Amino acid sequence: MPRDIPVANDMLLVSFDREYRIRDIYFPHVGKENHSQGRPFRFGVWVDGDFSWVGSSWELSLGYLPDTLVTDVVARKEELGIELLCNDLVDFHENIYLRRVRVRNLLAREREVRLFFHQNFSISESEVGDTANYDPHSGAVVHYKGPRYFMVNLCTQRACGVQEYTTGARELDGDGGSWLDAEDGLLSGNPIAQGSVDSVVGVRLRVGSGAEEEVYYWIAMGKSHREVRLLNQLVRDKTPATLFTRTRDYWQLWANVKETRIDLLPERIAGLYKRSLLVIRSQVDAGGAIIAANDSDVIAFNRDTYSYVWPRDGALVAFALDKAGYLELSKRFFFFLRGVIEDEGYFLHKYNPDGSPASSWHPWVKDGKPQLPIQEDQTALVIWALWNHFKRFHNIEFIKGLYRPVIMKAAEFMAGYRDEVTGLPNPSYDLWEERQGILSFTVSTVYAGLAAAAKFAYAFGESHLAIRYLRACREIKEGMDKYLYREELGRFVRMIVPKEDGFEVDETLDASLCGLFQFGPYQAWDPRIVNTMQAVRDNLWLKTKVGGMARYQGDSYYRVADDGDTLPGNPWFICTLWWAEFLIARAKSKEQLAEPLEIFHWVAEHALPSGILSEQLNPYTSEPVSVSPLTWSHAAFVVAVIHYLEKLAELEHCPTCDNPLHPSQQDIIQTTLQQVEEECQKRLED
């Protein structure tokens, strides 16, 4: 079930499913630890003797207040004559989750309405050894285990403090627990429970005819009882309304950094652009980790999650943030990577948000022989993204701290980790993490990474290193021309695999072939690239009413059906946006930008109503498939939109003065850096 409306600061992330139930609570890192393990936190209403948990039987609208990470939820149940207007947030500064509920009485008489909030913690990702108890000194319910504490409290317009509560044992299958105690409208008041436990707090309201009453509910999160007690008191002293206002205002300020001319976009596309940046922000940890996704439902598919840092995904997200002007977040990420790069100069498969190595399925031994279980594009794209960061902001002191420990270390690895005969990088695992070989996408990124390292070396006065890396680039390009381009097909192939007597050629059409022009070896208008990308479009664009681009022919990951002619795989947002990138890159007129804009509208149409983008779509129903939101999907949208606006600025000129009609507000590239790029390109061509 997708996570429609995540809210976060950079230490705490709370996400909801489409039935408006809290399903994931990550603390003290975004992505680690999940203190609910995907179990639902229920929200119930009792009125006139009837009880209902908010969910699928209600009319629900899940969205956000404009330009914020504050939700805007309407839950209505005609049978009860009740409408709930709800806003959820994580305070931008403190580790406090807060919900405002306005209870609207739809009937023409005064009524008593009882609200019930259910807590379903599995603290530190385990249901063993938790405690839930009522704390009379704070007037709150506390869940704790080890160095993790969660304090739950309420405020009405008249008083603060939990007056009705219960704690109890939770059935391991999730079918039973203290939440059932709420369904008669009364709570038993059990003050403490230990083991696998849950709790419920309740509040009673008198709501007049056609009137509404307001309630605030919050959970303070910390590493000690003292910490959550102080946070709880802060909410009461400052008032929940103040925390609501300051967080809403903060996000509106954050989302409206004027770096990109989104005023030139249709309103719907501009709105999704800002929503994408906010969703990306929700997936960034204080320590710099950029998380791929935090939808715990994927555990049911492979007993693991996406709550990890893939250096490739993170580099592409950092690139999007840099393009949009949010340099402080990308700087955090690059410093995170400085702490995890291997001494040999490469990155591992993935990392936990705290920087420790994460789970992996890439073996260190193959056919009885040791191997490096890496995806080399992950190393290469970090260096490529770093150069784009430096080119954008020219922050020399920042780059100085990364030049030796990251840039040069990775460059030396990439320059040396190549086949002496072909000049191409040695085999590694592909970006989809499914196969091993010499892939067009990976090779393109290594070319880009080494070209970026050469520019850094030249800028830092080490021209001998620049020449070494540029020579490697030239050899890689020659190898691509000779081995990855196939004259008999008139296009590039996805992969070659070395064999004793040559190479096994994988001709499968793969959307990642777009890397050939995205990362520099070739221009988008090169006839070989045009032929390759047209073949990708002809074979991977879905022939269903949903449309969109699949990853590759025969993609089985979360495959919905086996209709190979109609369905090469499920449509992915990133792959569809890559086609838009190709169209933008080769556009020679404003009219040729019409199709990319149509693709942006397609993305907006297939987003969730809240603006959330999943990884994949059901090709027949357009329902989200796999994780949602996927950070990479939102980053791909941000980058494609900015490239569209940059091309628009390039193409539209004043007929009198010939100056751009829409000068970019982010064009601050320094002349010296332009000279570095030009000099390196000249040396490469020579």
Side-chain angles (χ1 to χ4, degrees), residues 20-37:
Y20 190 46
R21 301 176 301 182
I22 292 174
R23 291 289 298 278
D24 301 299
I25 298 179
Y26 293 96
F27 172 82
H29 294 283
V30 171
K32 183 182 179 67
E33 305 139 1
N34 189 350
H35 299 286
S36 64
Q37 288 195 302

Side-chain angles (χ1 to χ4, degrees), residues 252-272:
Q252 288 178 341
L253 182 66
W254 187 92
N256 285 285
V257 173
K258 300 298 184 184
E259 291 285 345
T260 306
R261 292 294 307 275
I262 61 172
D263 57 298
L264 301 175
L265 297 168
E267 183 177 354
R268 187 183 193 188
I269 305 306
L272 184 57

Side-chain angles (χ1 to χ4, degrees), residues 246 324 347 415 494 500 554 672 679:
R246 78 177 192 177
F347 293 103
R494 172 167 72 176
E500 290 185 3
T672 54
E679 179 65 23

Side-chain angles (χ1 to χ4, degrees), residues 557-571:
Y557 187 54
Y558 279 98
R559 192 178 183 91
V560 171
D562 289 324
D563 186 349
D565 294 334
T566 303
L567 191 68
N570 298 334

Side-chain angles (χ1 to χ4, degrees), residues 215-361:
V215 176
Y216 284 94
Y217 159 83
W218 67 88
I219 307 174
M221 310 190 193
K223 299 179 181 180
S224 68
H225 185 267
R226 179 179 184 275
E227 186 177 347
V228 295
R229 181 165 48 82
L230 291 173
L231 287 174
N232 177 67
Q233 194 59 47
L234 180 146
V235 179
R236 298 183 67 161
D237 292 345
K238 286 186 175 292
T239 77
T242 298
L243 268 63
F244 171 87
T245 300
R246 78 177 192 177
T247 298
R248 179 200 62 197
D249 293 351
Y250 172 83
W251 288 121
Q252 288 178 341
L253 182 66
W254 187 92
N256 285 285
V257 173
K258 300 298 184 184
E259 291 285 345
T260 306
R261 292 294 307 275
I262 61 172
D263 57 298
L264 301 175
L265 297 168
E267 183 177 354
R268 187 183 193 188
I269 305 306
L272 184 57
Y273 172 86
K274 288 197 282 188
R275 175 55 52 206
S276 290
L277 285 168
L278 285 160
V279 171
I280 290 170
R281 181 65 184 86
S282 76
Q283 306 297 304
V284 180
D285 183 67
I290 297 176
I291 309 303
N294 280 303
D295 179 350
S296 64
D297 276 4
V298 74
I299 292 174
F301 180 80
N302 62 4
R303 306 309 298 168
D304 208 340
T305 74
Y306 279 40
S307 295
Y308 302 116
V309 181
W310 275 264
R312 169 190 49 255
D313 296 41
L316 294 169
V317 174
F319 177 66
L321 289 167
D322 282 339
K323 296 285 283 185
Y326 294 92
L327 80 159
E328 294 301 329
L329 296 175
S330 59
K331 284 170 62 178
R332 283 193 212 170
F333 172 70
F334 293 128
F335 259 97
F336 171 88
L337 292 178
R338 189 176 77 163
V340 301
I341 191 169
E342 296 293 308
D343 290 340
E344 295 82 359
Y346 58 82
F347 293 103
L348 296 175
H349 184 180
K350 49 192 168 81
Y351 300 89
N352 291 307
D354 61 4
S356 58
S359 59
S360 179
W361 54 89

